[in-house]
Amino acid sequence: MKRTRRTVLQDASKLSVCLAGLGVAGIVTAQEYPDWDPDDVYDSGDRVVYDGSVWEANWWTQGDEPGDSDWGPWEEVEETEPDPEPPDGPTAAFDVSNVSPAPGDDVEFDASVSEGRIDAYEWDLGDGTEASGEVVVHSYTDEGEYEVELIVSDADGETDIDSMAVTVLEEDESDGDVTADTTLEEFYPEYDRVFFPRESEGGVPGLLENELHPDATEFGADVDEIENNAGDGSMKLGALGDRGLELVQRFDDDGVSRENTARIMAWLAGLAEETEEIPFNDGSGRDGGLTAQSGPVSATNDPSVFVQGEWARGEEFDLVHDQGHERSDWSDSVSDGQHTNTDNPIVDATVDKIHPLTGEFLGDGFTANAPLSATAELHGEGWQFDTSLIFENTTDVPLLLCGTIIWWVGPSKGATGLDQFSYDNAQRKNYSVGHPQRDVIEVALPDDDKPGVFEGTDAPLSAYGIRLAMHNNPYLYRTLYPNQQFSCTYGNVTGPSQYDWPYDHLLEVMLDTCHVEFREEMSDIESNVELVETLDMKNRFGN
């Protein structure tokens, strides 16, 4: 995971503050802070280790040795303790690439997340097969549930055990065509699985009975068939009506996981055929009406059809939302250090279109890792207005929005008012469902780093990054459906009349610098978290 020196300094300081606030006696070890380096620049609040003590900077400093003067920029905080010894004995843990494979599929078991001084990894893969090594790959011949056990041991003979179940399912049902007579159980044998443990929705039958789209009957959905037969899986898919059946068949042909399709089936039955207008939230995003717009433009990198793997369930259902963040309170701002940190890779990501993790060139203009089009809008005039980016799914498959990361350049908010944000999607049942919290960053662009016609000007532009972190509601309200849209709006941003900006130039910059990245590795959140940390999007706000 890529971490900058600044991230280490700030994370360590936050840890110390959290411990103190909890009344925990903090034991500061040398490994929690970096060693002082005379060539590094430090800001107020940064902490370093020097000469057996932890020192905190009172103001900006470079080259000033901690302790050299009582009136210097450094204040001794506390003495350090030696780095702790590793825990006694090893700790077993492992990741599985696919916990629901089909017979014959390769499954990777990776024990690199185990801890301690491990000398041996021994595996019992549940079907009579044994293996050794930190990483093993295995395939199962027959369907069934297999208990996989890992035993790790160290040179002293200390051992630890971890286990996990792998369910192997036949997929011969997906070889046949989906028809109106295909039953729910034939389509998805685990139709009664509970996906969302915090609210017992009753699996697919519960979703069909309780979350059926209000327009489903307009497309011929048979509500009686759904209510009477979904519970035991005998409901025929023709009960979803023409629209629902059409979309289920389309998704199946395009390789969408049947579990994913089943989880949004209740909404597919009434999904509009035309693109629905964005229902901007009341009071945030439409002040003054539409002033100017540009687009839609398609992603210039021409991404191929993007089919995500099975969406998270169970303990990981709200994994994106539950992922730890660094917000210390409900402030609406980012810190001055974040706002002015032009070393943040988001500057290159937006202005030069360089991916923060891979270093690859994303392409000129609007880019995405899934087929999308984008439109930029301005609402209101004068000193302040609202800016919106609207994205439409131009592929034939649904896209889960949880964990989606977006970055772009827009008018500055001056590091404050970042809670004045609206996420909108016509496929939200109402404004209380499918709403995200957001992990955010705003970095002010220096004059020489501004894109396009704004290079070298004093126009207040910032690079923005957000990650959508939805929670608490079924996935059918967190999905970007084919031919449908979602939008991101920031309210009360700096208005163009102060600098006499041409509207079309500003809108072009918003689109040209924008990139949208949906989660790819649905079974692993690490790349998503790494991108958030790399862009320093550690501040979280509600919708």
Side-chain angles (χ1 to χ4, degrees), residues 429-448:
K429 181 170 60 173
N430 56 59
Y431 293 127
S432 68
V433 300
H435 62 283
Q437 292 185 354
R438 296 161 297 116
D439 301 301
V440 308
I441 186 67
E442 180 193 354
V443 176
L445 294 179
D447 292 349
D448 291 341

Side-chain angles (χ1 to χ4, degrees), residues 21-132:
L22 291 172
V24 177
I27 298 176
V28 180
T29 63
Q31 67 184 12
E32 289 179 6
Y33 303 107
D35 292 332
W36 174 74
D37 188 326
D39 295 325
D40 281 345
V41 173
Y42 302 97
D43 289 325
S44 175
D46 288 345
R47 291 188 174 189
V48 298
V49 172
Y50 181 73
D51 196 23
S53 293
V54 174
W55 301 81
E56 183 173 302
N58 294 317
W59 55 79
W60 185 96
T61 178
Q62 181 181 26
D64 296 306
E65 181 180 334
D68 185 52
S69 169
D70 292 339
W71 305 100
W74 293 101
E75 178 181 351
E76 185 177 9
V77 177
E78 53 198 318
E79 294 183 354
T80 62
E81 296 286 343
D83 290 345
E85 293 294 326
D88 293 335
T91 300
F94 63 95
D95 292 326
V96 181
S97 62
N98 186 356
V99 296
S100 301
D105 287 352
D106 283 341
V107 182
E108 182 181 86
F109 301 93
D110 184 351
S112 62
V113 291
S114 299
E115 298 180 351
R117 298 189 177 106
I118 299 174
D119 281 8
Y121 303 82
E122 301 297 334
W123 300 86
D124 180 343
L125 299 174
D127 63 348
T129 303
E130 296 181 348
S132 61

Side-chain angles (χ1 to χ4, degrees), residues 188-373:
Y188 178 54
E190 292 188 284
Y191 66 92
D192 56 352
R193 177 198 292 271
V194 174
F195 305 111
F196 186 12
R198 300 181 186 180
E199 295 179 12
S200 181
E201 83 287 76
V204 179
L207 291 169
L208 285 166
E209 294 169 13
N210 300 317
E211 307 292 344
L212 188 66
H213 197 295
D215 295 335
T217 55
E218 296 182 16
F219 293 96
D222 188 336
V223 177
D224 289 338
E225 166 83 358
I226 292 172
E227 291 180 348
N228 295 330
N229 298 321
D232 64 6
S234 64
M235 182 199 84
K236 295 181 179 180
L237 296 189
L240 299 175
D242 294 340
R243 182 61 170 159
L245 180 61
E246 170 206 349
L247 290 170
V248 169
Q249 292 171 327
R250 183 202 302 179
F251 295 171
D252 209 55
D253 289 342
D254 285 338
V256 176
S257 162
R258 288 193 168 184
E259 177 174 312
N260 293 357
T261 298
R263 295 168 77 171
I264 59 176
M265 193 177 283
W267 205 251
L268 298 180
L271 183 67
E273 296 179 89
E274 70 281 358
T275 303
E276 295 188 280
E277 291 293 323
I278 290 293
F280 286 97
N281 274 347
D282 294 338
S284 59
R286 298 292 300 236
D287 290 346
L290 178 65
T291 300
Q293 69 177 26
S294 179
V297 296
S298 298
T300 60
N301 53 332
D302 192 25
S304 59
V305 173
F306 184 79
V307 179
Q308 296 166 320
E310 286 186 357
W311 301 336
R313 56 176 182 260
E315 295 282 333
E316 298 186 343
F317 185 83
D318 275 343
L319 190 58
V320 172
H321 173 266
D322 295 342
Q323 179 65 37
H325 51 82
E326 299 290 337
R327 184 190 64 206
S328 58
D329 54 37
W330 287 96
S331 167
D332 66 351
S333 63
V334 296
S335 69
D336 289 342
Q338 289 177 292
H339 188 236
T340 60
N341 179 22
T342 55
D343 290 332
N344 188 318
I346 198 171
V347 176
D348 290 337
T350 53
V351 178
D352 297 324
K353 301 304 292 274
I354 302 299
H355 195 282
L357 294 185
T358 67
E360 297 177 354
F361 178 59
L362 292 167
D364 293 318
F366 168 61
T367 53
N369 67 341
L372 293 180
S373 68

Side-chain angles (χ1 to χ4, degrees), residues 408-460:
W408 75 98
V409 167
S412 178
K413 287 184 67 66
T416 64
L418 294 174
D419 60 338
Q420 297 169 0
F421 173 89
S422 171
Y423 155 82
D424 292 291
N425 184 341
Q427 276 65 59
R428 294 166 65 182
K429 181 170 60 173
N430 56 59
Y431 293 127
S432 68
V433 300
H435 62 283
Q437 292 185 354
R438 296 161 297 116
D439 301 301
V440 308
I441 186 67
E442 180 193 354
V443 176
L445 294 179
D447 292 349
D448 291 341
D449 286 334
K450 290 169 187 170
V453 297
F454 296 104
E455 183 177 3
T457 71
D458 62 354

